Amino acid sequence: MTPYLGCDTARALLDAVIDDEWAMADQVAVEAHLRWCRTCGARVEDMRLIGASLRVGAVRPPREPEEARAMIAVQAAVLTRIGAERDQSFGVWVRTAFEDMRLFWPALGASAALIACLCTAVGVLHAANGESDSMAGVMESTANASRIKTGWILEGVPEEEAVFALATMVTRGQRIADYRMLELERANVRRRDGSALTADVGGLLDAVRHSRFAPSEAPSDRAVAVDMVWLTSAPVSGSPPLPVPVPRRGRL
Amino acid sequence: MKNAGAISWSDVDSGEAALIARCAAGDEAACAELVATHQRMVYSLALNLLGDRDEALDISQEVFLRVFRTLSGFRGQSALRTWIYRIVINQVRNRQRWWRRRCRGDEVSLDEHLKHSGELEGKQDVLPDRLLASKETATYIWQALDRLPFDQRTALILREVDGLRYEEIAFSLDIAIGTVKSRLTRARQALRADLLGVRS
């Protein structure tokens, strides 16, 4: 039994009928519908007429000789341009570059030698300056040749030449009653971080203060207090060792 | 690709596959053969869509340049002809956008269309009296076709003039098959409305 198909349903399938793209299941039902429905039948006829009109009015090139010549010209232009593009392509360029291999191996060897030289130079620079491999680091190291890594910066003098002059007074009780620094011969001695050296002389002064001396004796065998001037030289690198006092007796 | 059926290399004719391989390898004779085989199809589709002979020739050249530049990427996902259709349509669409940006208008008069296409040709399956009747009808139909949106017009031309199946149209337009059906339906309804207007 043929299933009934309404117009709305049938119209949804008419395009498939026209284009011959319908499913077999629909074919029987649509054909049955078209047998009795004049409206849908007329619609199908119109659509077939539209298709035929489109095919009739479509252009069928080329008919004129000049049009045929134009198409041949297009073909030639396409082939010429494609050929030119292929000649300019990267792959062709590479193939052309490697056609002559006579100079390839010498060039490869020279390149390898150059790379080896560069690596060696960089390694030497790196070993010479552990602080920095950069050119800026090398320049800075060269400019600050007097920089000593121990924490002191002595501008123009060896570290052991830093001289302290201290004035002290030895009491009758064999103690240092008072002391003061008269002069630091190299006032430009600074820490690496820029702080003044005097801030670190405390250890030296403590050692002086806790020193004991035999009191000077006057001709009358009476102990007297004396003023003393210390002229001591001490290394300023690292932890300063105790100064070696060079007492000079004298009356002030 | 949405719904167009996948076609493997096995669906591509072996001779066509060999031709593609030769073209991809840079064989100039193969390239000439490919152009000669498809040039008429490319030109006629461009001419039917654009209605301008010079533009169609220009598009033909651009299409084949595009074909050869991208041929290495062709994986047999469709027949070569369908793949070229797709390139033609994209090129024509780009050209029409270029026209619109320059306000040249995208309509081509029927006189101009007939001037370029010459006398209307018949098909062997159309009887002479029907052909005479269709000449005037064809005039109106093509006139109405030029007023359709580009997507509907393209789908209808691919179906009625070039005879592509839904699946091929879907691949050429990069749309789903359902969209192809709906565009064909809307295009035919619009043309039928014009036809009824002429009759009345």
Side-chain angles (χ1 to χ4, degrees), chain A residues 15 19 21 46 49 55-56 59-63 67 71 85-86, chain B residues 23 39-40 43 47-48 53 69 117 121 159-160 166 185 188 192 199:
Chain A
D15 282 290
D19 296 326
E21 297 241 7
D46 287 344
L49 177 60
R55 286 187 289 275
V56 166
V59 183
R60 309 287 179 198
R63 296 180 313 140
E67 211 161 25
M71 293 184 69
E85 287 182 2
R86 281 185 176 144
Chain B
C23 288
Q39 191 173 21
R40 289 169 59 89
Y43 176 72
L47 185 53
N48 284 322
R53 191 173 64 90
R69 285 170 187 157
S117 60
E121 287 189 356
R159 173 60 215 162
E160 297 291 2
Y166 287 171
T185 301
R188 282 170 172 146
R192 185 166 179 263
R199 283 174 182 164

PDB file of all heavy atoms in Angstrom, chain A residues 15 19 21 46 49 55-56 59-63 67 71 85-86, chain B residues 23 39-40 43 47-48 53 69 117 121 159-160 166 185 188 192 199:
ATOM      1  N   ASP A  15      12.620  19.013  -4.486  1.00  0.00           N
ATOM      2  CA  ASP A  15      13.948  19.324  -5.003  1.00  0.00           C
ATOM      3  C   ASP A  15      14.754  18.045  -5.232  1.00  0.00           C
ATOM      4  O   ASP A  15      15.491  17.943  -6.210  1.00  0.00           O
ATOM      5  CB  ASP A  15      14.684  20.244  -4.022  1.00  0.00           C
ATOM      6  CG  ASP A  15      14.205  21.683  -4.137  1.00  0.00           C
ATOM      7  OD1 ASP A  15      14.509  22.313  -5.159  1.00  0.00           O
ATOM      8  OD2 ASP A  15      13.505  22.156  -3.222  1.00  0.00           O
ATOM      9  N   ASP A  19      16.345  16.814  -8.707  1.00  0.00           N
ATOM     10  CA  ASP A  19      17.785  16.566  -8.811  1.00  0.00           C
ATOM     11  C   ASP A  19      18.123  15.080  -8.829  1.00  0.00           C
ATOM     12  O   ASP A  19      19.310  14.736  -8.856  1.00  0.00           O
ATOM     13  CB  ASP A  19      18.501  17.241  -7.630  1.00  0.00           C
ATOM     14  CG  ASP A  19      18.354  18.756  -7.669  1.00  0.00           C
ATOM     15  OD1 ASP A  19      18.311  19.305  -8.789  1.00  0.00           O
ATOM     16  OD2 ASP A  19      18.281  19.385  -6.596  1.00  0.00           O
ATOM     17  N   GLU A  21      17.976  12.958  -6.501  1.00  0.00           N
ATOM     18  CA  GLU A  21      18.781  12.612  -5.319  1.00  0.00           C
ATOM     19  C   GLU A  21      17.876  12.120  -4.202  1.00  0.00           C
ATOM     20  O   GLU A  21      18.163  12.302  -3.029  1.00  0.00           O
ATOM     21  CB  GLU A  21      19.567  13.846  -4.846  1.00  0.00           C
ATOM     22  CG  GLU A  21      20.563  14.355  -5.851  1.00  0.00           C
ATOM     23  CD  GLU A  21      21.983  14.311  -5.344  1.00  0.00           C
ATOM     24  OE1 GLU A  21      22.230  13.768  -4.261  1.00  0.00           O
ATOM     25  OE2 GLU A  21      22.854  14.837  -6.060  1.00  0.00           O
ATOM     26  N   ASP A  46       7.579  23.572 -13.261  1.00  0.00           N
ATOM     27  CA  ASP A  46       8.245  24.879 -13.244  1.00  0.00           C
ATOM     28  C   ASP A  46       9.727  24.742 -12.904  1.00  0.00           C
ATOM     29  O   ASP A  46      10.576  25.388 -13.517  1.00  0.00           O
ATOM     30  CB  ASP A  46       7.558  25.805 -12.235  1.00  0.00           C
ATOM     31  CG  ASP A  46       6.206  26.290 -12.739  1.00  0.00           C
ATOM     32  OD1 ASP A  46       5.961  26.151 -13.962  1.00  0.00           O
ATOM     33  OD2 ASP A  46       5.409  26.794 -11.921  1.00  0.00           O
ATOM     34  N   LEU A  49      11.542  23.432 -15.766  1.00  0.00           N
ATOM     35  CA  LEU A  49      11.684  24.471 -16.788  1.00  0.00           C
ATOM     36  C   LEU A  49      12.812  25.448 -16.401  1.00  0.00           C
ATOM     37  O   LEU A  49      13.593  25.876 -17.257  1.00  0.00           O
ATOM     38  CB  LEU A  49      10.365  25.232 -16.926  1.00  0.00           C
ATOM     39  CG  LEU A  49      10.375  26.396 -17.917  1.00  0.00           C
ATOM     40  CD1 LEU A  49      10.710  25.906 -19.326  1.00  0.00           C
ATOM     41  CD2 LEU A  49       9.025  27.116 -17.919  1.00  0.00           C
ATOM     42  N   ARG A  55      20.292  25.811 -18.257  1.00  0.00           N
ATOM     43  CA  ARG A  55      21.232  25.083 -19.114  1.00  0.00           C
ATOM     44  C   ARG A  55      21.250  25.667 -20.516  1.00  0.00           C
ATOM     45  O   ARG A  55      22.303  25.754 -21.160  1.00  0.00           O
ATOM     46  CB  ARG A  55      20.868  23.596 -19.151  1.00  0.00           C
ATOM     47  CG  ARG A  55      21.213  22.853 -17.875  1.00  0.00           C
ATOM     48  CD  ARG A  55      20.998  21.357 -18.017  1.00  0.00           C
ATOM     49  NE  ARG A  55      19.579  21.018 -18.077  1.00  0.00           N
ATOM     50  CZ  ARG A  55      18.806  20.829 -17.007  1.00  0.00           C
ATOM     51  NH1 ARG A  55      19.335  20.981 -15.794  1.00  0.00           N
ATOM     52  NH2 ARG A  55      17.540  20.511 -17.136  1.00  0.00           N
ATOM     53  N   VAL A  56      20.086  26.070 -20.976  1.00  0.00           N
ATOM     54  CA  VAL A  56      20.014  26.671 -22.320  1.00  0.00           C
ATOM     55  C   VAL A  56      20.772  27.997 -22.353  1.00  0.00           C
ATOM     56  O   VAL A  56      21.498  28.300 -23.306  1.00  0.00           O
ATOM     57  CB  VAL A  56      18.542  26.873 -22.726  1.00  0.00           C
ATOM     58  CG1 VAL A  56      18.430  27.793 -23.936  1.00  0.00           C
ATOM     59  CG2 VAL A  56      17.900  25.541 -23.038  1.00  0.00           C
ATOM     60  N   VAL A  59      26.654  29.684 -20.735  1.00  0.00           N
ATOM     61  CA  VAL A  59      27.694  29.979 -21.722  1.00  0.00           C
ATOM     62  C   VAL A  59      28.447  28.699 -22.046  1.00  0.00           C
ATOM     63  O   VAL A  59      28.763  27.915 -21.158  1.00  0.00           O
ATOM     64  CB  VAL A  59      28.663  31.029 -21.161  1.00  0.00           C
ATOM     65  CG1 VAL A  59      29.696  31.393 -22.196  1.00  0.00           C
ATOM     66  CG2 VAL A  59      27.893  32.248 -20.719  1.00  0.00           C
ATOM     67  N   ARG A  60      28.740  28.513 -23.311  1.00  0.00           N
ATOM     68  CA  ARG A  60      29.525  27.358 -23.739  1.00  0.00           C
ATOM     69  C   ARG A  60      30.807  27.853 -24.397  1.00  0.00           C
ATOM     70  O   ARG A  60      30.870  28.023 -25.592  1.00  0.00           O
ATOM     71  CB  ARG A  60      28.754  26.507 -24.757  1.00  0.00           C
ATOM     72  CG  ARG A  60      27.369  26.144 -24.334  1.00  0.00           C
ATOM     73  CD  ARG A  60      27.385  25.098 -23.248  1.00  0.00           C
ATOM     74  NE  ARG A  60      26.010  24.807 -22.853  1.00  0.00           N
ATOM     75  CZ  ARG A  60      25.706  24.201 -21.714  1.00  0.00           C
ATOM     76  NH1 ARG A  60      26.654  23.869 -20.885  1.00  0.00           N
ATOM     77  NH2 ARG A  60      24.457  23.940 -21.418  1.00  0.00           N
ATOM     78  N   PRO A  61      31.817  28.113 -23.639  1.00  0.00           N
ATOM     79  CA  PRO A  61      33.042  28.646 -24.239  1.00  0.00           C
ATOM     80  C   PRO A  61      33.919  27.527 -24.757  1.00  0.00           C
ATOM     81  O   PRO A  61      33.781  26.392 -24.328  1.00  0.00           O
ATOM     82  CB  PRO A  61      33.725  29.321 -23.055  1.00  0.00           C
ATOM     83  CG  PRO A  61      33.316  28.476 -21.907  1.00  0.00           C
ATOM     84  CD  PRO A  61      31.932  27.961 -22.226  1.00  0.00           C
ATOM     85  N   PRO A  62      34.863  27.837 -25.564  1.00  0.00           N
ATOM     86  CA  PRO A  62      34.915  29.065 -26.348  1.00  0.00           C
ATOM     87  C   PRO A  62      34.406  28.767 -27.747  1.00  0.00           C
ATOM     88  O   PRO A  62      34.646  27.712 -28.284  1.00  0.00           O
ATOM     89  CB  PRO A  62      36.403  29.391 -26.378  1.00  0.00           C
ATOM     90  CG  PRO A  62      37.049  28.044 -26.373  1.00  0.00           C
ATOM     91  CD  PRO A  62      36.121  27.085 -25.671  1.00  0.00           C
ATOM     92  N   ARG A  63      33.701  29.674 -28.306  1.00  0.00           N
ATOM     93  CA  ARG A  63      33.158  29.466 -29.646  1.00  0.00           C
ATOM     94  C   ARG A  63      33.843  30.352 -30.656  1.00  0.00           C
ATOM     95  O   ARG A  63      34.007  29.992 -31.792  1.00  0.00           O
ATOM     96  CB  ARG A  63      31.660  29.716 -29.644  1.00  0.00           C
ATOM     97  CG  ARG A  63      30.914  28.699 -28.761  1.00  0.00           C
ATOM     98  CD  ARG A  63      29.444  28.962 -28.759  1.00  0.00           C
ATOM     99  NE  ARG A  63      29.145  30.361 -28.535  1.00  0.00           N
ATOM    100  CZ  ARG A  63      28.201  31.015 -29.166  1.00  0.00           C
ATOM    101  NH1 ARG A  63      27.486  30.412 -30.063  1.00  0.00           N
ATOM    102  NH2 ARG A  63      27.963  32.286 -28.889  1.00  0.00           N
ATOM    103  N   GLU A  67      38.324  34.028 -28.604  1.00  0.00           N
ATOM    104  CA  GLU A  67      38.172  33.513 -27.248  1.00  0.00           C
ATOM    105  C   GLU A  67      39.053  32.278 -27.051  1.00  0.00           C
ATOM    106  O   GLU A  67      39.675  32.096 -25.999  1.00  0.00           O
ATOM    107  CB  GLU A  67      36.714  33.158 -26.986  1.00  0.00           C
ATOM    108  CG  GLU A  67      36.315  33.327 -25.558  1.00  0.00           C
ATOM    109  CD  GLU A  67      34.803  33.417 -25.404  1.00  0.00           C
ATOM    110  OE1 GLU A  67      34.076  32.901 -26.278  1.00  0.00           O
ATOM    111  OE2 GLU A  67      34.364  34.004 -24.424  1.00  0.00           O
ATOM    112  N   MET A  71      42.145  31.804 -24.405  1.00  0.00           N
ATOM    113  CA  MET A  71      42.333  30.703 -23.466  1.00  0.00           C
ATOM    114  C   MET A  71      43.700  30.059 -23.629  1.00  0.00           C
ATOM    115  O   MET A  71      44.341  29.669 -22.651  1.00  0.00           O
ATOM    116  CB  MET A  71      41.218  29.676 -23.654  1.00  0.00           C
ATOM    117  CG  MET A  71      39.855  30.222 -23.253  1.00  0.00           C
ATOM    118  SD  MET A  71      38.550  29.013 -23.346  1.00  0.00           S
ATOM    119  CE  MET A  71      38.992  27.923 -22.015  1.00  0.00           C
ATOM    120  N   GLU A  85      58.032  30.652 -11.015  1.00  0.00           N
ATOM    121  CA  GLU A  85      57.936  30.511  -9.558  1.00  0.00           C
ATOM    122  C   GLU A  85      58.732  29.313  -9.065  1.00  0.00           C
ATOM    123  O   GLU A  85      59.373  29.371  -8.017  1.00  0.00           O
ATOM    124  CB  GLU A  85      56.471  30.369  -9.139  1.00  0.00           C
ATOM    125  CG  GLU A  85      55.690  31.659  -9.252  1.00  0.00           C
ATOM    126  CD  GLU A  85      54.258  31.509  -8.777  1.00  0.00           C
ATOM    127  OE1 GLU A  85      53.897  30.407  -8.328  1.00  0.00           O
ATOM    128  OE2 GLU A  85      53.503  32.501  -8.866  1.00  0.00           O
ATOM    129  N   ARG A  86      58.712  28.237  -9.826  1.00  0.00           N
ATOM    130  CA  ARG A  86      59.485  27.070  -9.412  1.00  0.00           C
ATOM    131  C   ARG A  86      60.979  27.363  -9.498  1.00  0.00           C
ATOM    132  O   ARG A  86      61.762  26.901  -8.666  1.00  0.00           O
ATOM    133  CB  ARG A  86      59.131  25.879 -10.297  1.00  0.00           C
ATOM    134  CG  ARG A  86      57.816  25.259  -9.871  1.00  0.00           C
ATOM    135  CD  ARG A  86      57.491  24.005 -10.636  1.00  0.00           C
ATOM    136  NE  ARG A  86      56.269  23.404 -10.119  1.00  0.00           N
ATOM    137  CZ  ARG A  86      55.375  22.796 -10.856  1.00  0.00           C
ATOM    138  NH1 ARG A  86      55.543  22.700 -12.156  1.00  0.00           N
ATOM    139  NH2 ARG A  86      54.296  22.273 -10.302  1.00  0.00           N
TER     140      ARG A  86
ATOM    141  N   CYS B  23      52.405  16.599 -12.156  1.00  0.00           N
ATOM    142  CA  CYS B  23      52.323  18.063 -12.012  1.00  0.00           C
ATOM    143  C   CYS B  23      53.060  18.513 -10.748  1.00  0.00           C
ATOM    144  O   CYS B  23      53.792  19.501 -10.757  1.00  0.00           O
ATOM    145  CB  CYS B  23      50.865  18.513 -11.945  1.00  0.00           C
ATOM    146  SG  CYS B  23      49.999  18.386 -13.507  1.00  0.00           S
ATOM    147  N   GLN B  39      40.290  23.675 -18.427  1.00  0.00           N
ATOM    148  CA  GLN B  39      40.193  25.107 -18.677  1.00  0.00           C
ATOM    149  C   GLN B  39      38.785  25.523 -19.096  1.00  0.00           C
ATOM    150  O   GLN B  39      38.276  26.561 -18.646  1.00  0.00           O
ATOM    151  CB  GLN B  39      41.196  25.512 -19.747  1.00  0.00           C
ATOM    152  CG  GLN B  39      41.351  27.018 -19.897  1.00  0.00           C
ATOM    153  CD  GLN B  39      42.461  27.383 -20.844  1.00  0.00           C
ATOM    154  OE1 GLN B  39      42.860  26.575 -21.674  1.00  0.00           O
ATOM    155  NE2 GLN B  39      42.959  28.602 -20.731  1.00  0.00           N
ATOM    156  N   ARG B  40      38.173  24.739 -19.920  1.00  0.00           N
ATOM    157  CA  ARG B  40      36.823  25.107 -20.368  1.00  0.00           C
ATOM    158  C   ARG B  40      35.849  25.117 -19.197  1.00  0.00           C
ATOM    159  O   ARG B  40      35.005  26.005 -19.077  1.00  0.00           O
ATOM    160  CB  ARG B  40      36.343  24.127 -21.450  1.00  0.00           C
ATOM    161  CG  ARG B  40      37.063  24.269 -22.777  1.00  0.00           C
ATOM    162  CD  ARG B  40      36.720  23.104 -23.689  1.00  0.00           C
ATOM    163  NE  ARG B  40      35.296  23.008 -23.943  1.00  0.00           N
ATOM    164  CZ  ARG B  40      34.685  23.628 -24.951  1.00  0.00           C
ATOM    165  NH1 ARG B  40      35.387  24.378 -25.782  1.00  0.00           N
ATOM    166  NH2 ARG B  40      33.393  23.509 -25.136  1.00  0.00           N
ATOM    167  N   TYR B  43      36.600  28.167 -17.039  1.00  0.00           N
ATOM    168  CA  TYR B  43      36.212  29.415 -17.685  1.00  0.00           C
ATOM    169  C   TYR B  43      34.691  29.569 -17.730  1.00  0.00           C
ATOM    170  O   TYR B  43      34.148  30.650 -17.453  1.00  0.00           O
ATOM    171  CB  TYR B  43      36.792  29.451 -19.102  1.00  0.00           C
ATOM    172  CG  TYR B  43      36.375  30.646 -19.912  1.00  0.00           C
ATOM    173  CD1 TYR B  43      36.877  31.915 -19.626  1.00  0.00           C
ATOM    174  CD2 TYR B  43      35.465  30.522 -20.962  1.00  0.00           C
ATOM    175  CE1 TYR B  43      36.499  33.019 -20.366  1.00  0.00           C
ATOM    176  CE2 TYR B  43      35.075  31.615 -21.709  1.00  0.00           C
ATOM    177  CZ  TYR B  43      35.599  32.867 -21.410  1.00  0.00           C
ATOM    178  OH  TYR B  43      35.212  33.957 -22.137  1.00  0.00           O
ATOM    179  N   LEU B  47      32.568  32.405 -15.973  1.00  0.00           N
ATOM    180  CA  LEU B  47      31.775  33.304 -16.825  1.00  0.00           C
ATOM    181  C   LEU B  47      30.305  33.290 -16.406  1.00  0.00           C
ATOM    182  O   LEU B  47      29.646  34.339 -16.370  1.00  0.00           O
ATOM    183  CB  LEU B  47      31.924  32.868 -18.283  1.00  0.00           C
ATOM    184  CG  LEU B  47      31.272  33.749 -19.337  1.00  0.00           C
ATOM    185  CD1 LEU B  47      31.729  35.195 -19.184  1.00  0.00           C
ATOM    186  CD2 LEU B  47      31.614  33.251 -20.735  1.00  0.00           C
ATOM    187  N   ASN B  48      29.771  32.132 -16.081  1.00  0.00           N
ATOM    188  CA  ASN B  48      28.380  32.067 -15.640  1.00  0.00           C
ATOM    189  C   ASN B  48      28.160  32.773 -14.314  1.00  0.00           C
ATOM    190  O   ASN B  48      27.093  33.326 -14.064  1.00  0.00           O
ATOM    191  CB  ASN B  48      27.921  30.611 -15.539  1.00  0.00           C
ATOM    192  CG  ASN B  48      27.649  30.001 -16.896  1.00  0.00           C
ATOM    193  OD1 ASN B  48      27.129  30.680 -17.795  1.00  0.00           O
ATOM    194  ND2 ASN B  48      28.015  28.760 -17.076  1.00  0.00           N
ATOM    195  N   ARG B  53      33.507  38.326 -19.661  1.00  0.00           N
ATOM    196  CA  ARG B  53      34.465  37.450 -20.325  1.00  0.00           C
ATOM    197  C   ARG B  53      35.899  37.715 -19.860  1.00  0.00           C
ATOM    198  O   ARG B  53      36.660  36.787 -19.568  1.00  0.00           O
ATOM    199  CB  ARG B  53      34.373  37.635 -21.843  1.00  0.00           C
ATOM    200  CG  ARG B  53      35.115  36.596 -22.641  1.00  0.00           C
ATOM    201  CD  ARG B  53      34.828  36.756 -24.116  1.00  0.00           C
ATOM    202  NE  ARG B  53      35.317  38.021 -24.626  1.00  0.00           N
ATOM    203  CZ  ARG B  53      36.555  38.191 -25.124  1.00  0.00           C
ATOM    204  NH1 ARG B  53      37.373  37.172 -25.170  1.00  0.00           N
ATOM    205  NH2 ARG B  53      36.945  39.356 -25.576  1.00  0.00           N
ATOM    206  N   ARG B  69      49.978  25.881  -7.223  1.00  0.00           N
ATOM    207  CA  ARG B  69      50.666  26.223  -5.973  1.00  0.00           C
ATOM    208  C   ARG B  69      50.254  25.309  -4.823  1.00  0.00           C
ATOM    209  O   ARG B  69      51.018  25.084  -3.897  1.00  0.00           O
ATOM    210  CB  ARG B  69      50.359  27.672  -5.593  1.00  0.00           C
ATOM    211  CG  ARG B  69      51.109  28.694  -6.431  1.00  0.00           C
ATOM    212  CD  ARG B  69      50.590  30.075  -6.177  1.00  0.00           C
ATOM    213  NE  ARG B  69      51.180  31.053  -7.072  1.00  0.00           N
ATOM    214  CZ  ARG B  69      50.619  32.225  -7.369  1.00  0.00           C
ATOM    215  NH1 ARG B  69      49.455  32.553  -6.848  1.00  0.00           N
ATOM    216  NH2 ARG B  69      51.220  33.056  -8.181  1.00  0.00           N
ATOM    217  N   SER B 117      27.730  35.751 -24.024  1.00  0.00           N
ATOM    218  CA  SER B 117      27.463  34.330 -24.207  1.00  0.00           C
ATOM    219  C   SER B 117      26.972  34.025 -25.620  1.00  0.00           C
ATOM    220  O   SER B 117      26.955  32.874 -26.021  1.00  0.00           O
ATOM    221  CB  SER B 117      26.416  33.862 -23.199  1.00  0.00           C
ATOM    222  OG  SER B 117      25.220  34.582 -23.395  1.00  0.00           O
ATOM    223  N   GLU B 121      22.219  28.420 -26.581  1.00  0.00           N
ATOM    224  CA  GLU B 121      22.385  27.098 -27.164  1.00  0.00           C
ATOM    225  C   GLU B 121      21.375  26.135 -26.594  1.00  0.00           C
ATOM    226  O   GLU B 121      20.961  26.258 -25.449  1.00  0.00           O
ATOM    227  CB  GLU B 121      23.788  26.572 -26.861  1.00  0.00           C
ATOM    228  CG  GLU B 121      24.851  27.258 -27.669  1.00  0.00           C
ATOM    229  CD  GLU B 121      26.176  26.565 -27.493  1.00  0.00           C
ATOM    230  OE1 GLU B 121      26.231  25.610 -26.688  1.00  0.00           O
ATOM    231  OE2 GLU B 121      27.131  26.985 -28.131  1.00  0.00           O
ATOM    232  N   ARG B 159      24.508  22.959  -9.759  1.00  0.00           N
ATOM    233  CA  ARG B 159      23.589  21.826  -9.906  1.00  0.00           C
ATOM    234  C   ARG B 159      23.012  21.741 -11.332  1.00  0.00           C
ATOM    235  O   ARG B 159      23.063  20.687 -11.959  1.00  0.00           O
ATOM    236  CB  ARG B 159      22.460  21.978  -8.880  1.00  0.00           C
ATOM    237  CG  ARG B 159      21.336  20.995  -9.011  1.00  0.00           C
ATOM    238  CD  ARG B 159      21.820  19.569  -8.864  1.00  0.00           C
ATOM    239  NE  ARG B 159      21.051  18.700  -9.739  1.00  0.00           N
ATOM    240  CZ  ARG B 159      21.439  17.496 -10.098  1.00  0.00           C
ATOM    241  NH1 ARG B 159      22.590  17.015  -9.682  1.00  0.00           N
ATOM    242  NH2 ARG B 159      20.684  16.760 -10.879  1.00  0.00           N
ATOM    243  N   GLU B 160      22.472  22.840 -11.824  1.00  0.00           N
ATOM    244  CA  GLU B 160      21.726  22.784 -13.085  1.00  0.00           C
ATOM    245  C   GLU B 160      22.627  22.857 -14.314  1.00  0.00           C
ATOM    246  O   GLU B 160      22.355  22.211 -15.311  1.00  0.00           O
ATOM    247  CB  GLU B 160      20.704  23.932 -13.136  1.00  0.00           C
ATOM    248  CG  GLU B 160      19.634  23.860 -12.056  1.00  0.00           C
ATOM    249  CD  GLU B 160      18.675  22.682 -12.263  1.00  0.00           C
ATOM    250  OE1 GLU B 160      18.868  21.913 -13.214  1.00  0.00           O
ATOM    251  OE2 GLU B 160      17.740  22.539 -11.452  1.00  0.00           O
ATOM    252  N   TYR B 166      24.813  16.707  -4.961  1.00  0.00           N
ATOM    253  CA  TYR B 166      24.785  17.455  -3.693  1.00  0.00           C
ATOM    254  C   TYR B 166      26.126  17.357  -2.961  1.00  0.00           C
ATOM    255  O   TYR B 166      26.623  18.322  -2.402  1.00  0.00           O
ATOM    256  CB  TYR B 166      23.662  16.920  -2.792  1.00  0.00           C
ATOM    257  CG  TYR B 166      22.266  17.294  -3.224  1.00  0.00           C
ATOM    258  CD1 TYR B 166      21.156  16.723  -2.618  1.00  0.00           C
ATOM    259  CD2 TYR B 166      22.057  18.222  -4.236  1.00  0.00           C
ATOM    260  CE1 TYR B 166      19.873  17.056  -2.992  1.00  0.00           C
ATOM    261  CE2 TYR B 166      20.771  18.561  -4.636  1.00  0.00           C
ATOM    262  CZ  TYR B 166      19.689  17.970  -4.019  1.00  0.00           C
ATOM    263  OH  TYR B 166      18.418  18.304  -4.405  1.00  0.00           O
ATOM    264  N   THR B 185      16.604  25.037  -2.726  1.00  0.00           N
ATOM    265  CA  THR B 185      15.160  25.253  -2.578  1.00  0.00           C
ATOM    266  C   THR B 185      14.825  26.748  -2.620  1.00  0.00           C
ATOM    267  O   THR B 185      13.898  27.167  -3.339  1.00  0.00           O
ATOM    268  CB  THR B 185      14.679  24.645  -1.250  1.00  0.00           C
ATOM    269  OG1 THR B 185      14.978  23.253  -1.248  1.00  0.00           O
ATOM    270  CG2 THR B 185      13.193  24.858  -1.063  1.00  0.00           C
ATOM    271  N   ARG B 188      15.310  28.179  -6.167  1.00  0.00           N
ATOM    272  CA  ARG B 188      14.254  27.779  -7.107  1.00  0.00           C
ATOM    273  C   ARG B 188      12.945  28.488  -6.788  1.00  0.00           C
ATOM    274  O   ARG B 188      12.179  28.848  -7.698  1.00  0.00           O
ATOM    275  CB  ARG B 188      14.073  26.262  -7.063  1.00  0.00           C
ATOM    276  CG  ARG B 188      15.152  25.531  -7.841  1.00  0.00           C
ATOM    277  CD  ARG B 188      15.113  24.056  -7.611  1.00  0.00           C
ATOM    278  NE  ARG B 188      16.032  23.355  -8.498  1.00  0.00           N
ATOM    279  CZ  ARG B 188      16.692  22.245  -8.151  1.00  0.00           C
ATOM    280  NH1 ARG B 188      16.507  21.720  -6.943  1.00  0.00           N
ATOM    281  NH2 ARG B 188      17.498  21.653  -9.004  1.00  0.00           N
ATOM    282  N   ARG B 192      11.086  30.761  -9.411  1.00  0.00           N
ATOM    283  CA  ARG B 192       9.694  30.396  -9.783  1.00  0.00           C
ATOM    284  C   ARG B 192       8.758  31.576  -9.554  1.00  0.00           C
ATOM    285  O   ARG B 192       7.831  31.801 -10.351  1.00  0.00           O
ATOM    286  CB  ARG B 192       9.244  29.193  -8.964  1.00  0.00           C
ATOM    287  CG  ARG B 192       7.874  28.672  -9.359  1.00  0.00           C
ATOM    288  CD  ARG B 192       7.608  27.294  -8.781  1.00  0.00           C
ATOM    289  NE  ARG B 192       6.286  26.859  -9.178  1.00  0.00           N
ATOM    290  CZ  ARG B 192       5.190  26.978  -8.421  1.00  0.00           C
ATOM    291  NH1 ARG B 192       5.304  27.521  -7.217  1.00  0.00           N
ATOM    292  NH2 ARG B 192       4.016  26.559  -8.862  1.00  0.00           N
ATOM    293  N   ARG B 199       4.580  35.226 -16.251  1.00  0.00           N
ATOM    294  CA  ARG B 199       3.408  34.592 -16.860  1.00  0.00           C
ATOM    295  C   ARG B 199       2.147  35.437 -16.640  1.00  0.00           C
ATOM    296  O   ARG B 199       1.289  35.541 -17.517  1.00  0.00           O
ATOM    297  CB  ARG B 199       3.196  33.211 -16.269  1.00  0.00           C
ATOM    298  CG  ARG B 199       4.154  32.160 -16.813  1.00  0.00           C
ATOM    299  CD  ARG B 199       3.960  30.868 -16.068  1.00  0.00           C
ATOM    300  NE  ARG B 199       4.884  29.850 -16.522  1.00  0.00           N
ATOM    301  CZ  ARG B 199       5.150  28.741 -15.856  1.00  0.00           C
ATOM    302  NH1 ARG B 199       4.557  28.521 -14.680  1.00  0.00           N
ATOM    303  NH2 ARG B 199       5.981  27.856 -16.341  1.00  0.00           N
TER     304      ARG B 199
END
